[in-house]
Amino acid sequence: MESTRTEWIAEIIAWIKSNSAQIIFWINGIPGSGKSTIAQTIAQHPDIRLMLISHIFFKRENTRRHDIIKLVAYRLAERNDKMAEVIVSRLHKRTLTLRDTFINFILEPLKVAESAGLLKEPIIILLDALDEYGTSESRTQLMQIFSNDFTDLPHLIRFLITSRPEADLVRALSSKTHVREGTLDVRTEESRRDVSIYIETELKKLVSRQLSAGPEWDEMMLKFDTAADGLFI
């Protein structure tokens, strides 16, 4: 919704366009704090859309262990012919682990592309609701890759990740030099302001006549805002 989450959007776009060594921007927060809405807004932003090669929204019931790596590799192959050639040339290689798959089909093709001067603008991969990707046990290898191997990626690669602050994600992503971390705190003035805008806008859509601003309306909005307690949900 226009005029909401403006600070977050500006910060994320500035990070995407920078040459920061922080490959990952991890946005975490409790359910209803607006993580996926921010991700969707970034995905549709006119300054970002052409840089986005993959936007994955996870649901626990339909994700498999290798989906992320393989799908991102496929999107990289679509990006340009040189990376496609490198990725295809590696299809015969035996990959015993998820890390093998990452190195063969993402890390090394990107390094080849970087050496060839093909990476001229940021490449964005958006992973929304990563905590819904299986269980903490099934995510173990993936989290190790995020935690350790992502430091070797070219600096123009940008992974925007949203999730709840599950323990395994916190261990893998928090306080890492290649990770920028942002927590959606529903208690902040920004969150309460944005929720207030959202509530009032949506309620006005439901009324059959134009309501004029006044003490009665303002009092009602204050009650709703207080009850929402910073949560969009």
Side-chain angles (χ1 to χ4, degrees):
M1 182 172 290
E2 190 176 354
S3 300
T4 63
R5 294 303 194 225
T6 53
E7 293 89 346
W8 279 100
I9 300 303
E11 183 179 352
I12 293 168
I13 291 175
W15 163 76
I16 288 172
K17 293 182 177 181
S18 73
N19 193 35
S20 170
Q22 292 175 311
I23 303 297
I24 298 171
F25 197 137
W26 177 41
I27 299 175
N28 61 79
I30 64 174
S33 55
K35 303 181 296 296
S36 292
T37 302
I38 289 176
Q40 186 68 26
T41 302
I42 291 294
Q44 296 176 351
H45 197 283
D47 291 347
I48 300 302
R49 214 163 34 223
L50 294 179
M51 304 177 192
L52 183 69
I53 69 165
S54 189
H55 178 192
I56 311 172
F57 177 75
F58 296 103
K59 293 184 178 179
R60 197 177 303 277
E61 64 271 15
N62 62 4
T63 53
R64 297 188 300 275
R65 188 167 63 93
H66 288 276
D67 283 352
I68 296 178
I69 303 300
K70 291 181 178 179
L71 180 56
V72 171
Y74 180 80
R75 297 303 186 196
L76 287 173
E78 287 185 320
R79 187 75 175 180
N80 63 63
D81 294 340
K82 183 65 176 177
M83 276 193 285
E85 289 175 6
V86 176
I87 290 170
V88 169
S89 71
R90 295 169 177 275
L91 290 176
H92 69 282
K93 287 195 172 186
R94 191 179 181 191
T95 54
L96 298 176
T97 66
L98 195 62
R99 184 172 183 268
D100 292 339
T101 305
F102 169 76
I103 291 172
N104 282 321
F105 300 132
I106 294 181
L107 179 59
E108 293 185 356
L110 281 172
K111 285 188 171 182
V112 170
E114 184 181 36
S115 298
L118 299 176
L119 299 182
K120 301 183 183 299
E121 64 178 8
I123 293 177
I124 305 165
I125 298 96
L126 205 165
L127 306 178
D128 192 8
L130 185 60
D131 55 287
E132 292 288 317
Y133 185 70
T135 64
S136 59
E137 290 78 14
S138 66
R139 289 194 298 262
T140 299
Q141 289 188 57
L142 183 65
M143 291 300 101
Q144 290 172 347
I145 293 169
F146 281 141
S147 182
N148 303 318
D149 298 295
F150 267 48
T151 56
D152 296 325
L153 287 170
H155 289 181
L156 281 175
I157 307 304
R158 291 284 181 261
F159 276 78
L160 179 59
I161 298 174
T162 73
S163 77
R164 302 178 189 185
E166 300 289 352
D168 63 314
L169 275 78
V170 172
R171 286 194 298 271
L173 301 175
S174 186
S175 302
K176 299 293 191 296
T177 57
H178 65 290
V179 179
R180 187 186 189 108
E181 182 178 353
T183 299
L184 286 172
D185 186 349
V186 299
R187 297 166 296 180
T188 64
E189 186 61 33
E190 179 191 356
S191 286
R192 293 182 181 278
R193 178 203 67 203
D194 291 349
V195 170
S196 177
I197 293 171
Y198 172 73
I199 290 173
E200 184 163 12
T201 302
E202 291 300 312
L203 282 177
K204 282 183 176 179
K205 292 178 183 178
L206 300 177
V207 299
S208 58
R209 59 186 175 83
Q210 184 65 40
L211 290 180
S212 59
E216 186 177 350
W217 176 264
D218 292 342
E219 182 181 354
M220 182 170 65
M221 287 303 98
L222 181 60
K223 289 180 180 179
F224 277 120
D225 297 344
T226 302
D229 200 26
L231 278 172
F232 284 96
I233 200 168

